[in-house]
DNA sequence: ATGAAAGCGCTAACAA
DNA sequence: TTGTTAGCGCTTTCAT
């Protein structure tokens, strides 16, 4: 008779609760609760007794139940975009590690540019998260209002909504733009092109405006700066540079400013592989972010590093995770300067720090 | 008198619950609950009345509270590693989108190779997640046991623990290795080198073993295949190729097999920029994953694509999110074949599908 | 179709 | 220090 091999199945056991542990340890249920909470009045003796019972039963406290009473979930919502820019991958990972180290977790929400971010936000609110970090996404004022009204702090990371009452932590993009302009000028560049991201992206806008401002101060007329726009991705950079180079009669600009490294990579690949150009001999390049890829052999980008650790520290500070009662400050803006990373896409050596500081 | 500008503060309002909505709508609290749950006995009339009241009060159901009773949180834990390999970034994003589309969210846990994964797992269990996906991380048998005992399914994604009772969804790595070996052989390669990942990584092991097996069948002795090992990252690829090329007297091998694209990128960058070699003229290259970077101008990698969508579909199927009562099958293994993506790192054209199918 | 009431597993007064 | 008790906001029988 055929004996078919059936898959083994795991049979779920009834849940072990703090009552079971209490019974086994011979104490009350509230003692169990105390045993598992930091700084609470309980003798080391009974705590150990309880831990042992818990271990025997494989008991793990149910944090869903505890958040119901404490009104704290230890969960932070992170609303992210498409992760096509490695900077946001780094950010996600860094946030996750930092939060996990202090006993919190990230609940991930994705919101593409075409998604209804308000609908995503309604989902976020369902989870009674302790805080919300928004990046690469737009949010209506109504939604930030709903969040604040519930006592949930919300921080825009590297992005702000002018006129909004939500706080923002970001790299000082305009300052970085000025620094790169200065570097290019000192390296002797006279003519310039720019690759910008989407117009509504505040990061792109600010970097460009700082860059253009510094050039204007040096006598370069803004209308003389060629500009191509694209999505803030590798492919966006590819398309933008093609717009600039295709059927070109005019001489090449001396320098190309890209609003981020990933677009610069796309642009450089096209320039070197499709047009046979050399960087920085034929054209200098400068950009923004210092993603890990920027230091690789084919790129060696001179760039402004986004001070990720400091930005995260500041974000966590503004979130007031440890003293939720303190209320939510509104409309804070925290621009953090990013260091210049000097590599090979601008000839010569970096201006000294003192010079850059006076910009 | 000085009037210091103080930051505005948001004042948290008392929470709006289903009772408040019920009161405003003039119905019972349980009706409110029904109104917000799919397929439940409630007249369209009262449902609308309730929705209107909810809207007026900005009511959002508290899913923490609901998971307490339903024992379902609609949260899936995803345990990930360092995200240095873009493949896992793609995976994370794809999982997040797929789950979000069906009303579930990802709770992210990071576990570095040196972290105590069991401690991470205990944290996971606290959250009463509906399922666990593990990737780039190891787990002890005891932990998978704890999870199964609680009725929480756990799937290893692209990774398996031999002898474990947890199920696994993965690319058919050995088959892919065989295909690439065949491609290289047909392109005329006679001598081979390999860049492998960490020894304990099952993906690396399986890809290598499929590759070597096919070569052996064609008369290439395994001991004649040069091998360098490294971390499965870009830098790992850089270091591995340097081991192979530094102070090299022997002629170059005809072909280089890398266990993934990101290592292949590191290796190619060193070969082209530091050693002036051309691919595939001086050496052919083949690898695995088909990350977005593989198609970029400097690489144009011929590679096996990880069938991400199919892998995710299979993972979600095994998770049985929609019928939790059905029990957890143990020890399933789901290898999914990945298509060959033919680009420029092997000369000539791809073997036809029929040939590859007979491998 | 609707309402009343009993939990889900935990925390936090309050009492002892 | 420990135990008792009343919720947290919801779902789900069970009546009506």
């Amino acid at each position: 008779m055929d004996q078919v091999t059936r898959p083994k199945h795991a049979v779920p056991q009834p849940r072990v609760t703090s009552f079971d542990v209490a019974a086994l340890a011979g104490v009350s249920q509230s003692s169990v609760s105390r045993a598992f909470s930091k700084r609470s009045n309980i003798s080391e003796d009974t705590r150990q007794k309880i831990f042992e019972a818990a271990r025997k039963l494989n008991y793990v406290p149910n944090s869903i139940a505890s958040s119901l009473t404490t009104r704290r979930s230890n969960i932070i919502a992170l609303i992210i975009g498409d992760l096509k820019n490695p900077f946001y991958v780094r950010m996600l990972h860094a946030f996750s590690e930092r939060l996990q180290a202090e006993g919190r977790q990230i609940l991930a929400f994705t919101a593409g540019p075409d998604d209804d971010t308000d609908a995503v936000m309604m989902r976020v609110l369902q989870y009674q998260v302790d805080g919300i970090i928004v990046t690469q996404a737009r949010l209506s004022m109504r939604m930030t209002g709903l969040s604040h009204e519930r006592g949930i702090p919300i921080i825009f990371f590297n992005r702000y909504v002018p006129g909004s009452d939500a706080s923002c932590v970001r790299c000082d993009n305009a300052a970085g733009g000025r620094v790169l302009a200065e570097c290019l000028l000192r390296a002797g560049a006279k003519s310039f092109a720019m690759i910008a991201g989407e117009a509504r992206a505040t990061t792109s806008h600010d970097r460009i405006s700082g860059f253009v401002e510094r050039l204007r101060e040096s006598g370069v007329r803004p209308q003389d700066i060629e500009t191509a726009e694209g999505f803030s991705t590798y492919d966006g950079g590819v398309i933008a540079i093609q717009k600039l180079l295709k059927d070109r009669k005019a001489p090449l600009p001396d320098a190309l400013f890209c609003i981020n490294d990933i677009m610069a990579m796309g642009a450089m690949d096209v320039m070197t592989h499709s047009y046979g150009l050399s960087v920085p001999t034929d054209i200098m390049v400068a950009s923004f972010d210092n993603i890990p890829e920027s230091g690789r052999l084919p790129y060696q980008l001179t760039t402004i590093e986004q001070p990720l650790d400091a930005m995260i520290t500041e974000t966590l500070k503004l979130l007031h995770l440890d003293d939720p009662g303190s209320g939510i400050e509104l409309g804070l803006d925290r621009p953090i300067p990013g260091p210049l990373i000097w590599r090979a896409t601008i000839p010569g050596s970096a201006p000294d720090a003192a010079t850059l500081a006076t910009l």
Side-chain angles (χ1 to χ4, degrees), chain A residues 166-202:
Chain A
S167 295
C168 158
V169 173
R170 58 190 179 88
C171 178
D172 190 339
N173 292 305
R178 291 183 63 87
V179 167
L180 292 176
E182 180 69 16
C183 293
L184 260 9
L185 286 166
R186 285 176 173 258
K190 301 267 183 282
S191 58
F192 301 84
M194 303 189 299
I195 290 184
E198 299 153 81
R200 56 185 182 172
T202 53

Side-chain angles (χ1 to χ4, degrees), chain A residues 101-304:
Chain A
E102 48 184 59
R104 296 177 232 270
Q105 299 302 141
I106 281 186
L107 194 62
F109 292 81
T110 56
D114 305 323
D115 287 349
D116 178 359
T117 348
D118 283 13
V120 172
M121 189 63 182
M122 292 305 273
R123 298 273 298 276
V124 173
L125 292 177
Q126 296 199 349
Y127 282 99
Q128 316 289 308
V129 296
D130 295 346
I132 303 173
I133 300 166
V134 184
T135 185
Q136 290 182 293
R138 248 149 289 282
L139 228 54
S140 71
M141 295 268 267
R142 170 154 177 275
M143 285 299 138
T144 64
L146 284 185
S147 175
H148 287 152
E149 182 171 281
R150 282 167 169 69
I152 305 177
I154 169 166
I155 305 290
F156 282 81
F157 190 90
N158 232 356
R159 159 163 262 90
Y160 56 87
V161 187
S164 152
D165 56 1
S167 295
C168 158
V169 173
R170 58 190 179 88
C171 178
D172 190 339
N173 292 305
R178 291 183 63 87
V179 167
L180 292 176
E182 180 69 16
C183 293
L184 260 9
L185 286 166
R186 285 176 173 258
K190 301 267 183 282
S191 58
F192 301 84
M194 303 189 299
I195 290 184
E198 299 153 81
R200 56 185 182 172
T202 53
T203 42
S204 173
H205 175 271
D206 295 351
R207 289 168 189 181
I208 293 284
S209 74
F211 184 81
V212 170
E213 190 185 65
R214 182 75 195 93
L215 289 191
R216 180 166 36 200
E217 290 168 9
S218 306
V220 179
R221 296 186 313 173
Q223 60 269 38
D224 292 342
I225 308 174
E226 292 180 80
T227 306
E229 206 177 290
F231 292 112
S232 299
T233 61
Y234 179 91
D235 291 333
V238 167
I239 292 170
I241 194 71
Q242 282 166 341
K243 280 187 219 158
L244 251 22
L245 296 184
K246 192 154 189 231
D247 304 320
R248 188 183 184 89
K249 303 282 194 310
L252 228 50
D254 300 329
L256 174 68
F257 172 56
C258 303
I259 57 102
N260 65 20
D261 292 347
I262 191 72
M263 295 186 84
M265 287 167 58
M268 283 182 73
D269 281 346
V270 169
M271 291 193 292
T272 55
H273 290 84
S274 304
Y275 287 86
L277 298 172
S278 293
V279 175
T281 327
D282 297 315
I283 186 168
M284 311 179 199
V285 175
S287 58
F288 231 107
D289 282 354
N290 197 27
I291 55 177
E293 289 82 344
S294 315
R296 295 183 183 167
L297 287 168
Y299 306 108
Q300 295 290 327
L301 277 165
T302 290
T303 185
I304 299 288

Side-chain angles (χ1 to χ4, degrees), chain A residues 324-338:
Chain A
S326 66
I328 302 172
E329 306 110 326
L330 262 27
L332 263 30
D333 184 24
R334 295 281 187 265
I336 303 177

